[in-house]
Amino acid sequence: MIRKKTLFVNIILMLMVVSLIVLPLVTVKNGKFAGSDDNATKAITMIDKNYKPWIKPIWEPPSGEIESLLFACQAAIGAGFIGFYLGYVKGKKNGNR
Amino acid sequence: MKKIELITMFMLFLLTPEISYSMHIMEGFLPLKWCIIWDLAALPFIIAGAMTIGKKLKENPKLKMLLGFAGAFAFVLSALKIPSVTGSCSHPTGVGLGAILFGPFTMSILGLIILLFQALLLAHGGITTLGANTFSMAIVGPIASYAIFKGIKKVGGPNWLAVFLSAFLGDLLTYVTTSFQLAIAFPAEKGGFTVSFLKFMGIFAITQVPLAISEGLLTVLVINLLMEYSKEELIELDVL
């Protein structure tokens, strides 16, 4: 079993992260929370008006939905392995007792 | 009329706070010269990373799982676009954990894999900018994280503080590096590099601060879990 103190500390840490994520959504009025990629384009062309991107991505997700799907897959694969690892080491530790 | 519109748009752009950047430099947005320079700069660290991984796994094959864990952590965190106080979104890097566990060079390889995945499948970052992005996220960030972690431990700081600051500052320094890379490639007409750098930094730093704090907290959380379940590995890796 996980020690009570660790569990407590981790729950607090989790809540802090969640509030850090929620806070901007509540406090920032008129925030668009847009993807930052398009804005990067603008900023560079503002400094150098003649700059044209000299190469395009080989493939782009056809829509925002597909892009979210792929980002979700990335997170899911990572989270899946994290869960697998923690389960593995927990089981191993308990089995050794 | 057109002129007024243009000026208004320009002013709007200047005044709108939600201007931000993707952590990674987009495809085509770094002149070829700089792409090559950063590719070459990243190369020795990639080789050092490959050698470290090979050596660590040869010494102790059991660490393979933990290495995968560090990679998975960075994989998850760099997929999460999180809102920030500036009204725009960015994502953490998650490479601090791997640097704390496996030393300064290991994450160069894992970071490169993540960046390649995002460049090919998500059009996030780019192939031509891969060297530059690897340099900021997978080389400078982890080296800084590692140095900060060891430094705080050396002066006798508590473990959680060392972990937190290591991940927090590693994340921020990644952005400082990206600002540097953009500023040196795109110096402002008036004021040159410094003006560009401050401009990129001003936007980057503010957006990234809350995310870097989140990354620091999550890394402490994960190290807490590893201390419960993988204490042997942590001792072996000289983390505790």
Side-chain angles (χ1 to χ4, degrees):
Chain A
M1 273 298 282
I2 188 163
R3 273 181 302 149
K4 275 216 174 93
K5 193 192 153 208
T6 311
L7 190 64
F8 180 72
V9 170
N10 278 1
I11 288 171
I12 299 286
L13 287 171
M14 226 33 197
L15 290 175
M16 284 165 82
V17 171
V18 170
S19 42
L20 268 172
I21 294 169
V22 174
L23 200 72
L25 293 176
V26 180
T27 54
V28 180
K29 299 273 183 278
N30 307 322
K32 281 188 178 155
F33 298 107
S36 35
D37 312 20
D38 297 335
N39 293 325
T41 317
K42 284 186 218 155
I44 288 171
T45 36
M46 198 170 85
I47 291 172
D48 183 351
K49 288 177 194 66
N50 299 321
Y51 190 77
K52 291 254 155 29
W54 56 279
I55 187 165
K56 284 223 154 102
I58 312 166
W59 183 79
E60 275 183 81
S63 74
E65 277 68 24
I66 307 297
E67 195 182 339
S68 323
L69 169 69
L70 288 164
F71 268 111
C73 284
Q74 188 187 332
I77 293 166
F81 190 86
I82 288 175
F84 171 74
Y85 179 83
L86 289 175
Y88 169 76
V89 285
K90 182 176 193 277
K92 204 169 69 167
K93 194 184 164 192
N94 290 350
N96 281 347
R97 262 197 211 144
Chain B
M1 190 57 208
K2 267 245 164 93
K3 209 171 186 182
I4 295 170
E5 266 172 29
L6 271 175
I7 293 169
T8 325
M9 273 173 72
F10 184 72
M11 289 307 288
L12 264 179
F13 178 68
L14 276 181
L15 298 173
T16 326
E18 72 238 15
I19 303 158
S20 92
Y21 298 81
S22 128
M23 148 152 294
H24 313 308
I25 302 172
M26 298 299 294
E27 190 85 282
F29 275 92
L30 205 58
L32 182 61
K33 181 181 91 176
W34 289 106
C35 293
I36 295 168
I37 289 173
W38 291 115
D39 281 346
L40 292 176
L43 195 63
F45 295 97
I46 301 287
I47 295 168
M51 282 163 65
T52 325
I53 291 180
K55 199 173 143 238
K56 289 236 158 139
L57 291 188
K58 206 171 180 185
E59 279 168 13
N60 189 351
K62 274 192 295 182
L63 292 176
K64 209 177 281 174
M65 286 283 282
L66 191 58
L67 185 69
F69 180 79
F73 183 73
F75 210 53
V76 175
L77 284 205
S78 56
L80 299 177
K81 294 191 192 167
I82 295 171
S84 177
V85 283
T86 50
S88 60
C89 291
S90 182
H91 63 77
T93 64
V95 293
L97 176 72
I100 292 169
L101 295 176
F102 290 100
F105 301 126
T106 316
M107 288 315 281
S108 66
I109 298 280
L110 297 179
L112 177 71
I113 294 169
I114 294 167
L115 285 166
L116 200 61
F117 175 88
Q118 293 196 327
L120 288 176
L121 289 179
L122 298 161
H124 189 66
I127 299 296
T128 57
T129 53
L130 195 60
N133 291 330
T134 304
F135 199 86
S136 61
M137 182 182 122
I139 294 170
V140 174
I143 290 176
S145 287
Y146 180 77
I148 291 159
F149 180 74
K150 288 288 168 191
I152 294 174
K153 295 287 280 180
K154 203 165 196 179
V155 296
N159 209 58
W160 66 267
L161 187 69
V163 171
F164 175 78
L165 286 179
S166 157
F168 170 71
L169 291 172
D171 184 320
L172 272 188
L173 279 170
T174 297
Y175 271 81
V176 174
T177 309
T178 313
S179 306
F180 175 83
Q181 289 169 329
L182 284 174
I184 205 167
F186 298 100
E189 250 171 68
K190 277 183 197 154
F193 168 79
T194 321
V195 167
S196 279
F197 183 61
L198 290 177
K199 186 173 216 155
F200 286 119
M201 273 291 292
I203 301 158
F204 273 132
I206 301 165
T207 306
Q208 196 62 16
V209 166
L211 305 199
I213 296 173
S214 288
E215 170 159 0
L217 297 172
L218 286 173
T219 309
V220 173
L221 185 151
V222 160
I223 292 275
N224 281 345
L225 287 174
L226 292 179
M227 283 194 326
E228 289 283 328
Y229 300 127
S230 298
K231 206 161 191 174
E232 270 172 50
E233 282 93 332
L234 293 193
I235 291 166
E236 202 163 318
L237 288 165
D238 204 21
V239 176
L240 287 177

